[in-house]
Amino acid sequence: MNIGIDLGTTNSALAYIDPVAAEGADFPPIQILEIPQWVASNTVEPRRTLPSFLFLGDQEYVGAYARDQGALVPTKVVHSAKSWLSNPDVDRTARILPWDAQESGRIYSPVEASTKYLAHIREAWEKMRGEPIAEQNVVLTVPASFDEEARELTVQAANEAGLTQLTLVEEPAAAFYSWIANHLAQSQKSLFDGQVVLVCDVGGGTSDFTLIRVSREGDRVEFTRTAVGKHLLLGGDNLDLTFAWLVEAKLGVPLSLRQRSALRRQCAAAKERLLGDAKLDKVEVTVLGAGTGLVGGTMKSEITRAEALELALDGFLPFCDVNDQPKEEKRSLFRELGLPYVSDPAITRHLAAFLGTTGQAPDAILFNGGFFIPAILRERVTEVVERWYGRRPAVFENQDLDLAVAVGAAYYSYVRSTGAGLLVRGGLPRAYYIGVGGEGALRTVCLVPRGTEEGTALTLDREDLQLVANKPVSFRLYSSLTRTEDQVGDLIDFAPEELDGNLHQHAPLNAVIRFGRKTEEKLIPVKLGARLNEVGTLEIWAESRVSEHRWRLQFELRKQAQAAPQRPAAVVSEAGMRAAHELLRATFEPDGALEPPELPSKLEQALALGRNSWPLANLRQLADWMIELAGGRSRSPAHEARWFNLCGFCLRPGFGYPGDDFRIEQARRIYASGMRFPNQVEAETQWWIFWGRLAGGLNRNQQIDLFQRLSPFLLPKAGKRVRLNTSLLREMWRTAASLELLPLQTKTDLGEALLKKVKSGEAGPSDFWCLSRLGARRLLYGPINQVVSPVTAARWVDALIKAPGAEEVLASIAQVTGEVTRDLPGATLNIVRARLKDKADLLAVLEGEEARDAATLGRIFGEELPAGLVFAEPMAAR
């Protein structure tokens, strides 16, 4: 039996071909397996698609009921597992789902969730057909832009679900196979030699672009994939969220997580109706009430067809120039969904960028994915391409866009096993490179050229390739979707700015090379080998040139990060949290009777812990409640000061815990509205402490905006100096020093201003702390290109070297990193070493040997940090 499975972000499906039942036919029919699933709490029905949702109720549900229940209880539903599977910013093997749940409620990894969906499909097949799926020829689809890590994890999930006889195929190719299976005979007349077909595949969570070239000689037709777009987290889910934002804005009331989730589900249904039916003027949506602030229990609004068209066409499919590029922002507007979605929702601009890199103009378009089910969306993309190239592309029609990928995968499985039918050639969509060093530019050597066909084994044999035996080794692996001419062994230099543009950096390839005595470290000359296996994943190994040894290199799929060592886990009872919530309400609600000065001690009593021991999950829950009660700041200056003090404490350092991006976005709304008592010193002091604590969660533009308010006081123009309260000025400086993403010149100017205080003898401990943040070689959260230059830092060291009390700042500013772009000259380092010779702890900091533990991170941050925060190793900003 030939089986095709589409493991989708939003929906999954299985199609199959029975070669025996189809004997004698020109081509066997492709059938869809109707998958039994819960559609209500007491009802199981077969459906042609399986919604890719897992609900964690009294029992686990997969499918339609899980999707619907998840809209009501979002903290108990796993969704978008496929998108998490391809997210390099998290540990994809860790239990991080459901993403909306508290830490204790996260019980599945993206791999495990994917296994659940595939296991449900396997069980449905074996129950309906009575044949073990492990004995069938199964083809599983993945996005063409999936990197090797995501492909390996997909195979792992499939194997754990019992799909052991497996091959991968790319989704755009599968969509094209579906068109071949259903339309090739009728469409022979429309195909011509050299024709370029664009497969435009936009599903629930991803967008994929692929170009396929037609070669024709008489009646003989061949297809070759010539280009693949980069991985884009952008799809119908983003449009659903945009509709939900529209409704929330109309309601004029901030919605809870549960309300937003339920609203998104309604908006998804409203979108399909409004975009699919030209006669429908509007759709009503209802939001159930939550909390005491809503009268009547429910709220109603509507989405009109005109609004739906404006959001879909102007927002996601706007007319644009063929040379336009996507608008890049530090962070995506869609981070409410938790995933690293692209910041520009304009699919047509992403398409223009893709076609621009290929230099090819499409003659025809094949649409795929649920996003394009409404004909009006397909028509808009066709019109856009027509404007770009001055001719209207032909449109290749696929039936049932939500099933086409599974149908095409089944066709591919059949062709592979029987030799009948047509295949799309093209081999590996990426070229792969191993990093070998280089100064300035990134020097790499090509390991696997783009287009390498399945089963091809390649060897990289260079005299300078050596590995250290009996210790862990790591290779830097890169790939490119656009470089087509590089061959095995070619040495290529990439500019740093090409990373994530022309070049994608993968998780490192790790291995322990066991050779000889286990305690002996020695250099072993090796060759590197690679092979695209029959499953569709890349195998990479190192092979000794002096023995028969061979070692498999495997991706390090866990997020490369440093975490503060965990203190013994404190536990706060549910009753304690309920009491804490009531205390917050008693302080900040209009009729609350608790005075702000009493709140901290009352909270410590309720939680039975000193506030520095409050667990991270509880801190963020308190912050969420305080954000909901932000209006209580208006009650008095004391209320505003306490709100900023406590909420900032609970949100510090602005990142490091799920949902922090969304919390920062909510905090930014408070920033936009400003202080309620701006002329009260204590309230204003706490305002700046609040933003200093949250600085790490702000993007570059937001930090620059924040600094604009500080600049007149910290860097006043001649004759414009303003006298301020000493404590207030100190906190303003500390906030500015915490803004690690400020332009380097601004950071330099701030440092120079502080050095004037040092030279005049006016500098205190807080000024030295600010200098250590501004001049640090290793930032708390910022990328390495935000480190002030070694020339500037060396000048600061010269000014500080004899200053009393400057030891810590000297160790930070001169810290050795091993990178020439950050390290100070050797002579300067020796001067600092001499100053710190009697301080072993600071010498460890200087030499870069200090553990990045809780104490270190707290010292850098300026106060103790919550246990459990994860700090990613800084990388170059892109």
Side-chain angles (χ1 to χ4, degrees):
M1 199 75 70
N2 298 105
I3 295 174
I5 298 177
D6 173 15
L7 178 62
T9 306
T10 308
N11 290 290
S12 299
L14 183 150
Y16 64 97
I17 297 174
D18 185 347
V20 176
E23 288 182 0
D26 292 337
F27 195 87
I30 302 176
Q31 303 177 65
I32 302 297
L33 178 72
E34 295 203 347
I35 303 172
Q37 57 197 276
W38 292 97
V39 297
S41 60
N42 57 357
T43 307
V44 175
E45 292 180 0
R47 298 283 175 88
R48 282 155 59 89
T49 61
L50 177 75
S52 303
F53 292 78
L54 171 63
F55 181 69
L56 309 175
D58 295 335
Q59 66 181 73
E60 291 184 353
Y61 299 90
V62 174
Y65 181 66
R67 177 195 60 202
D68 297 340
Q69 285 299 108
L72 301 175
V73 193
T75 57
K76 289 185 175 294
V77 68
V78 175
H79 61 89
S80 303
K82 178 178 172 181
S83 296
W84 288 107
L85 204 63
S86 63
N87 182 3
D89 294 330
V90 298
D91 179 356
R92 291 167 273 187
T93 63
R95 293 180 173 177
I96 60 174
L97 302 176
W99 185 253
D100 291 327
Q102 295 289 332
E103 186 172 7
S104 60
R106 297 180 174 185
I107 61 174
Y108 287 117
S109 71
V111 176
E112 291 169 332
S114 301
T115 297
K116 288 281 185 180
Y117 305 145
L118 291 170
H120 187 100
I121 292 172
R122 173 185 59 77
E123 291 166 5
W125 167 267
E126 293 178 348
K127 184 176 182 179
M128 301 286 286
R129 300 288 305 182
E131 301 170 331
I133 205 168
E135 298 176 5
Q136 316 307 316
N137 297 313
V138 178
V139 168
L140 182 63
T141 65
V142 293
S145 51
F146 254 24
D147 60 20
E148 282 307 308
E149 300 95 309
R151 290 171 186 251
E152 283 197 7
L153 291 171
T154 302
V155 172
Q156 178 184 333
N159 290 340
E160 291 175 0
L163 282 66
T164 54
Q165 191 168 315
L166 179 72
T167 301
L168 300 181
V169 69
E170 296 156 7
E171 289 166 5
F176 195 74
Y177 284 131
S178 177
W179 178 81
I180 292 174
N182 291 305
H183 300 285
L184 182 60
Q186 306 96 290
S187 304
Q188 284 279 4
K189 295 180 181 179
S190 64
L191 297 174
F192 57 86
D193 187 52
Q195 186 176 24
V196 175
V197 181
L198 165 67
V199 182
C200 191
D201 183 4
V202 182
T206 59
S207 294
D208 246 341
F209 307 128
T210 293
L211 291 181
I212 295 174
R213 181 175 292 274
V214 179
S215 299
R216 181 165 188 170
E217 188 174 331
D219 291 334
R220 184 169 173 269
V221 179
E222 292 183 350
F223 303 104
T224 304
R225 186 200 57 224
T226 60
V228 172
K230 64 181 182 180
H231 191 59
L232 298 174
L233 278 180
L234 175 65
D237 292 347
N238 305 83
L239 183 54
D240 298 342
L241 182 58
T242 306
F243 277 43
W245 286 340
L246 170 67
V247 174
E248 185 171 357
K250 285 185 174 184
L251 293 172
V253 178
L255 300 181
S256 67
L257 175 64
R258 179 185 63 80
Q259 289 172 312
R260 282 199 181 97
S261 182
L263 177 58
R264 279 203 302 270
R265 177 69 189 130
Q266 288 190 70
C267 287
K271 172 195 69 178
E272 295 170 4
R273 295 178 61 197
L274 288 167
L275 297 178
D277 185 353
K279 297 179 180 179
L280 187 62
D281 291 330
K282 60 185 178 182
V283 171
E284 186 178 89
V285 292
T286 301
V287 180
L288 296 178
T292 60
L294 299 179
V295 179
T298 62
M299 298 175 288
K300 293 185 178 181
S301 186
E302 64 183 26
I303 306 172
T304 67
R305 177 171 166 80
E307 290 169 334
L309 290 174
E310 180 181 0
L311 291 176
L313 299 181
D314 296 341
F316 283 73
L317 300 173
F319 287 111
C320 61
D321 189 80
V322 69
N323 296 315
D324 281 356
Q325 295 290 313
K327 297 177 181 178
E328 297 293 338
E329 296 289 342
K330 180 73 174 178
R331 295 183 183 175
S332 170
L333 291 172
F334 300 102
R335 57 184 172 273
E336 180 175 331
L337 297 175
L339 287 158
Y341 288 98
V342 296
S343 56
D344 189 347
I347 292 170
T348 44
R349 280 196 286 268
H350 291 285
L351 177 58
F354 164 66
L355 292 174
T357 63
T358 68
Q360 301 179 64
D363 302 298
I365 304 177
L366 174 66
F367 292 102
N368 189 62
F371 181 88
F372 284 119
I373 289 177
I376 195 169
L377 302 186
R378 304 196 298 273
E379 176 61 24
R380 168 54 71 91
V381 174
T382 305
E383 290 178 9
V384 169
V385 175
E386 181 180 12
R387 290 192 182 191
W388 288 345
Y389 300 107
R391 65 179 188 275
R392 187 173 181 82
V395 176
F396 290 177
E397 298 286 353
N398 243 341
Q399 301 171 353
D400 298 324
L401 295 186
D402 54 344
L403 297 171
V405 167
V407 168
Y411 172 92
Y412 177 65
S413 173
Y414 179 79
V415 173
R416 278 177 57 90
S417 62
T418 66
L422 295 171
L423 290 176
V424 177
R425 305 293 179 183
L428 202 62
R430 298 171 180 264
Y432 286 85
Y433 308 86
I434 293 290
V436 293
E439 295 185 8
L442 168 65
R443 175 150 293 184
T444 69
V445 60
C446 182
L447 176 63
V448 184
R450 203 182 91 166
T452 298
E453 293 289 350
E454 176 186 302
T456 304
L458 302 167
T459 301
L460 176 62
D461 191 359
R462 291 172 55 96
E463 293 294 330
D464 56 353
L465 276 177
Q466 298 183 91
L467 296 181
V468 179
N470 300 316
K471 67 177 294 185
V473 296
S474 180
F475 289 91
R476 293 174 296 152
L477 185 71
Y478 305 88
S479 67
S480 172
L481 289 163
T482 58
R483 297 184 65 92
T484 60
E485 304 301 323
D486 299 332
Q487 299 300 314
V488 178
D490 287 354
L491 203 61
I492 301 104
D493 288 337
F494 291 94
E497 58 268 20
E498 291 186 87
L499 271 174
D500 274 357
N502 292 330
L503 199 65
H504 171 69
Q505 183 173 359
H506 293 262
L509 287 166
N510 293 344
V512 177
I513 308 302
R514 299 296 184 191
F515 191 88
R517 289 181 295 175
K518 292 184 178 180
T519 59
E520 180 184 16
E521 294 184 7
K522 60 185 299 186
L523 286 174
I524 306 296
V526 298
K527 298 181 288 186
L528 293 182
R531 175 176 174 268
L532 181 62
N533 62 29
E534 291 75 11
V535 172
T537 58
L538 191 64
E539 298 175 353
I540 303 177
W541 63 86
E543 186 174 341
S544 171
R545 299 175 66 224
V546 295
S547 70
E548 299 299 318
H549 291 83
R550 180 169 165 168
W551 303 275
R552 173 82 183 273
L553 303 179
Q554 295 182 309
F555 289 110
E556 174 52 71
L557 293 171
R558 296 189 179 275
K559 175 67 177 169
Q560 295 298 293
Q562 297 187 353
Q566 301 293 300
R567 296 189 291 266
V571 177
V572 174
S573 68
E574 292 186 10
M577 287 301 291
R578 286 195 299 269
H581 192 191
E582 291 304 315
L583 289 169
L584 295 176
R585 294 177 61 186
T587 305
F588 295 108
E589 285 190 344
D591 56 351
L594 185 64
E595 291 298 320
E598 300 177 50
L599 180 60
S601 60
K602 294 285 187 182
L603 286 173
E604 290 185 338
Q605 291 173 20
L607 301 178
L609 290 169
R611 70 178 196 164
N612 283 334
S613 299
W614 294 349
L616 182 55
N618 299 108
L619 284 167
R620 291 305 194 257
Q621 179 63 76
L622 292 171
D624 290 343
W625 288 332
M626 293 201 69
I627 290 172
E628 292 176 1
L629 294 166
R633 296 183 293 124
S634 302
R635 294 189 63 191
S636 72
H639 283 85
E640 181 159 50
R642 179 56 60 199
W643 190 94
F644 282 125
N645 174 272
L646 185 58
C647 191
F649 178 84
C650 293
L651 281 176
R652 75 197 198 283
F655 64 95
Y657 191 75
D660 277 349
D661 280 351
F662 180 61
R663 295 183 182 97
I664 292 297
E665 191 65 23
Q666 292 176 303
R668 283 284 297 172
R669 297 175 186 175
I670 294 169
Y671 175 82
S673 66
M675 294 181 59
R676 296 294 178 263
F677 301 94
N679 296 319
Q680 298 293 319
V681 171
E682 179 60 20
E684 188 174 4
T685 300
Q686 293 299 333
W687 161 274
W688 289 116
I689 292 174
F690 176 86
W691 290 111
R693 282 169 161 169
L694 269 62
L698 303 176
N699 65 33
R700 180 181 175 87
N701 289 337
Q702 291 167 346
Q703 290 197 6
I704 291 172
D705 182 39
L706 187 65
F707 180 72
Q708 296 306 313
R709 296 195 185 186
L710 291 166
S711 180
F713 306 101
L714 307 186
L715 300 175
K717 296 180 180 178
K720 300 287 186 179
R721 185 175 298 276
V722 180
R723 294 185 63 84
L724 291 174
N725 174 275
T726 302
S727 297
L728 173 59
L729 184 61
R730 180 181 66 242
E731 297 306 333
M732 294 170 81
W733 268 109
R734 291 176 72 89
T735 296
S738 300
L739 304 177
E740 294 184 349
L741 305 182
L742 289 178
L744 292 178
Q745 186 57 54
T746 301
K747 296 171 78 170
T748 301
D749 292 343
L750 288 168
E752 298 292 344
L754 288 169
L755 285 175
K756 290 180 181 179
K757 297 181 69 175
V758 173
K759 292 175 181 177
S760 66
E762 301 174 2
S766 184
D767 299 305
F768 286 131
W769 179 86
C770 291
L771 274 168
S772 71
R773 288 294 299 268
L774 292 166
R777 302 296 86 198
R778 193 178 184 190
L779 303 179
L780 181 68
Y781 60 85
I784 60 175
N785 58 302
Q786 286 296 124
V787 174
V788 298
S789 73
V791 173
T792 298
R795 188 172 68 248
W796 292 3
V797 166
D798 290 340
L800 290 164
I801 196 67
K802 295 182 179 180
E807 289 86 354
E808 284 194 18
V809 64
L810 285 167
S812 176
I813 292 176
Q815 186 176 45
V816 176
T817 69
E819 294 185 18
V820 295
T821 57
R822 287 191 280 170
D823 285 351
L824 275 56
T828 303
L829 289 173
N830 287 336
I831 293 172
V832 178
R833 289 185 179 109
R835 171 70 188 269
L836 303 179
K837 64 180 181 180
D838 296 325
K839 297 184 178 294
D841 56 338
L842 293 180
L843 275 174
V845 174
L846 176 66
E847 302 298 346
E849 298 169 353
E850 180 190 46
R852 201 165 169 85
D853 57 14
T856 300
L857 295 172
R859 175 180 55 78
I860 296 171
F861 182 68
E863 66 176 314
E864 187 174 349
L865 285 166
L869 286 168
V870 175
F871 291 75
E873 188 69 11
M875 297 173 61
R878 319 204 246 279

